[in-house]
Amino acid sequence: MNTLFDKIWDKHVVQTVPDGPTQLYIDRLYCHEVTSPQAFDGMRARGLQCFRPDHIYCMPDHNTPTHDQDKPIEDPVSAKSVSTLAQNAKEFGLTHYGMMDPSNGIIHVVGPEKGLSLPGMTIVCGDSHTSTHGAMGAVAFGIGTSEVEMVMASQCILQQKPKSMRININGTMQKGVTAKDVALYLMAKLTTSGATGYFVEYAGDVVRALSMEGRLTLCNLSIEMGARGGFIAPDETTFEYIKGREFAPKGVDWDKAVAYWQTLKSDDNAVFDKELTFDAADIEPRITYGTNPGMGIGITESIPMSCEIEDIGFRKALDYMGFEAGEKVLGMQIDYVFLGACTNGRIEDFRAFASIAKGRKKADNVVAWLVPGSWAVDRQIREEGLDKVLTEAGFEIRQPGCSACLAMNDDKVPAGKYAVSTSNRNFEGRQGPGARTILCSPLVAAAAAVTGIITDPRTLL
């Protein structure tokens, strides 16, 4: 009896090295501007061309500004990174969606929305949050630069097979609880290393009830538990999401694809190396208080006392954040709000934010960056009239990109300022040198944006 991970992995094995790694065939390689230049240089130095260029897609996202994208990039480092990717893609004959291209956006948002990421695939990118694509029912994971070069040259990669873990979340989500809250809850329970060495399959009532946007958020954060990746077995929700998208199978090919995708599930008696079960009733809207995503609490809870935490970095994290053990974060004043990233930059996230912003006004003390994950999301925001709702509330919608998730562009939070953020990491300096990041869902971000303080969104819904 096999797990779904076994089925996809085994189907892609080219050969297994005795007492060594597996040579695994890769269906899709995504390249952005940060981790690909050295890989292209390596290919060039060895006189190689990409083995299957039609399986490789490139786009800038980390270094792209979220304003004036029709003008030259002012930062010379960012400008060089973005132009180098364009040159490399042209030289090697690869599909490239540059800035202002209607298909551009964050690579982990664009892949699923264009139907490039499909069930049963193996997908890699030189970016840790490649696990996002696992929501499609794919085995997707981040790789290093030398591995990017390996895939370019051979469409294969050498990998040790991870162990398998299934996480079941059963019951019904409470009012105001989102997929982001589920992920932050799991990170707090497992810690940031609790899934190290495993590939996680998410299952249970809550997972099945999630929209595709919610599943993409959940799988995106698998890496923050230390997992190699995370994924969800495809079902009717998946098929409905994929159908009609640009690169999705069409006609007879669609029927064949769905027939195959319907077989992609763990066998009833499949044995996992580890299995955990959680109750949705225990999950409320969440926030982080420390400097890793596992340092989180329910929004009504207090920061733990140091004696309850075995992490030697606990005190250091609180000092950096300006917090005290035992205090509540609810009600504290904040400075910045960021809605976006490959974690929460999709249309559903903007709908959630707008549902709280509607009829209210942005707090005067808050600087808000609302950044769609792609131009396709931007178009949908405008088609649905969400732009009018947000503009009337005093918010501005910026242009697509990674933005303040990692501050490799102009969107940097100043030192000492508190940023309530829907992104994926709250490390020291992640959103700018000295910036203090509080991770949360779009609903919590919106509640903070209109009140100016950390607010339980359930009081505004």
Side-chain angles (χ1 to χ4, degrees):
M1 297 292 110
N2 290 323
T3 66
L4 173 55
F5 181 76
D6 291 330
K7 292 179 180 180
I8 298 175
W9 180 277
D10 293 348
K11 190 177 177 66
H12 288 80
V13 171
V14 178
Q15 63 176 331
T16 301
V17 178
D19 300 318
T22 299
Q23 183 185 12
L24 196 70
Y25 179 78
I26 299 300
D27 293 302
R28 188 81 70 219
L29 168 64
Y30 294 124
C31 291
H32 56 57
E33 74 277 24
V34 179
T35 55
S36 65
Q38 299 90 338
F40 282 113
D41 286 345
M43 294 284 286
R44 202 176 284 115
R46 293 194 289 160
L48 297 174
Q49 290 296 314
C50 293
F51 180 59
R52 291 200 165 156
D54 57 327
H55 289 236
I56 304 173
Y57 288 79
C58 308
M59 71 193 73
D61 52 13
H62 285 57
N63 289 99
T64 57
T66 59
H67 58 86
D68 299 319
Q69 288 189 5
D70 56 331
K71 299 180 176 67
I73 299 175
E74 293 179 4
D75 177 58
V77 175
S78 292
K80 177 72 172 174
S81 294
V82 170
S83 64
T84 298
L85 178 64
Q87 292 162 10
N88 283 329
K90 183 177 180 181
E91 179 183 339
F92 285 86
L94 307 178
T95 300
H96 175 257
Y97 300 127
M99 280 199 321
M100 296 302 294
D101 187 306
S103 294
N104 178 255
I106 303 172
I107 209 158
H108 304 316
V109 174
V110 174
E113 75 184 9
K114 291 188 79 67
L116 285 166
S117 302
L118 297 172
M121 278 187 166
T122 49
I123 301 170
V124 295
C125 174
D127 184 285
S128 56
H129 293 103
T130 307
S131 57
T132 308
H133 306 268
M136 312 305 296
V139 168
F141 52 93
I143 57 176
T145 297
S146 61
E147 294 171 311
V148 171
E149 183 181 342
M150 191 186 301
V151 178
M152 286 178 177
S154 67
Q155 208 58 38
C156 293
I157 192 172
L158 295 176
Q159 286 283 295
Q160 295 285 355
K161 186 177 182 180
K163 293 181 288 185
S164 61
M165 178 190 293
R166 182 159 61 188
I167 296 179
N168 305 291
I169 308 122
N170 291 319
T172 304
M173 288 203 295
Q174 299 181 51
K175 172 184 172 183
V177 175
T178 71
K180 181 66 166 288
D181 300 302
V182 173
L184 289 172
Y185 173 84
L186 293 176
M187 285 184 268
K189 288 294 183 183
L190 272 73
T191 77
T192 51
S193 61
T196 300
Y198 291 91
F199 217 96
V200 175
E201 178 178 344
Y202 298 102
D205 307 329
V206 167
V207 175
R208 286 283 151 234
L210 287 176
S211 65
M212 281 309 302
E213 284 90 349
R215 295 178 186 191
L216 288 158
T217 294
L218 180 59
C219 290
N220 173 272
L221 290 158
S222 304
I223 190 72
E224 308 306 340
M225 301 185 299
R228 193 73 183 92
F231 70 129
I232 295 167
D235 58 12
E236 290 303 321
T237 299
T238 321
F239 310 151
E240 187 62 32
Y241 176 88
I242 296 168
K243 192 172 186 179
R245 294 188 182 270
E246 183 178 351
F247 290 94
K250 306 289 193 300
V252 176
D253 290 337
W254 170 259
D255 296 333
K256 288 180 181 176
V258 171
Y260 166 58
W261 295 342
Q262 286 172 334
T263 70
L264 294 177
K265 54 188 175 182
S266 293
D267 295 332
D268 291 341
N269 297 320
V271 177
F272 292 80
D273 294 303
K274 190 171 186 178
E275 187 154 12
L276 300 170
T277 300
F278 299 95
D279 187 346
D282 296 332
I283 308 173
E284 68 169 342
R286 308 268 311 172
I287 49 173
T288 61
Y289 61 85
T291 54
N292 73 56
M295 298 178 77
I297 52 175
I299 198 164
T300 63
E301 296 175 347
S302 301
I303 295 172
M305 299 303 294
S306 55
C307 60
E308 299 170 14
I309 300 288
E310 297 178 6
D311 180 7
I312 58 173
F314 177 71
R315 174 52 54 190
K316 181 174 180 284
L318 291 194
D319 288 345
Y320 180 86
M321 293 296 294
F323 292 151
E324 294 291 335
E327 76 172 328
K328 283 187 178 291
V329 181
L330 191 66
M332 66 162 281
Q333 186 169 312
I334 55 99
D335 308 294
Y336 282 74
V337 167
F338 170 51
L339 172 68
C342 59
T343 314
N344 284 119
R346 298 175 183 82
I347 187 61
E348 188 176 272
D349 304 311
F350 277 80
R351 289 174 186 150
F353 194 99
S355 72
I356 283 183
K358 187 174 184 178
R360 298 185 171 96
K361 292 290 184 184
K362 180 182 78 65
D364 292 337
N365 61 297
V366 170
V367 175
W369 291 327
L370 277 54
V371 186
S374 69
W375 282 109
V377 173
D378 181 85
R379 289 189 292 274
Q380 198 164 354
I381 287 169
R382 298 176 197 285
E383 287 167 6
E384 295 183 13
L386 299 179
D387 58 323
K388 293 182 176 63
V389 171
L390 294 168
T391 301
E392 287 171 6
F395 296 99
E396 174 195 356
I397 299 171
R398 297 170 79 89
Q399 293 175 320
C402 291
S403 185
C405 176
L406 77 172
M408 288 184 71
N409 46 72
D410 297 340
D411 300 348
K412 294 177 174 64
V413 176
K417 298 295 184 183
Y418 288 100
V420 170
S421 177
T422 67
S423 52
N424 41 53
R425 286 180 174 159
N426 53 345
F427 303 158
E428 291 187 20
R430 171 78 176 182
Q431 294 193 286
R436 294 163 162 172
T437 301
I438 296 169
L439 299 178
C440 66
S441 74
L443 289 176
V444 173
V450 297
T451 61
I453 59 176
I454 301 288
T455 301
D456 188 336
R458 293 172 293 188
T459 63
L460 303 181
L461 288 171

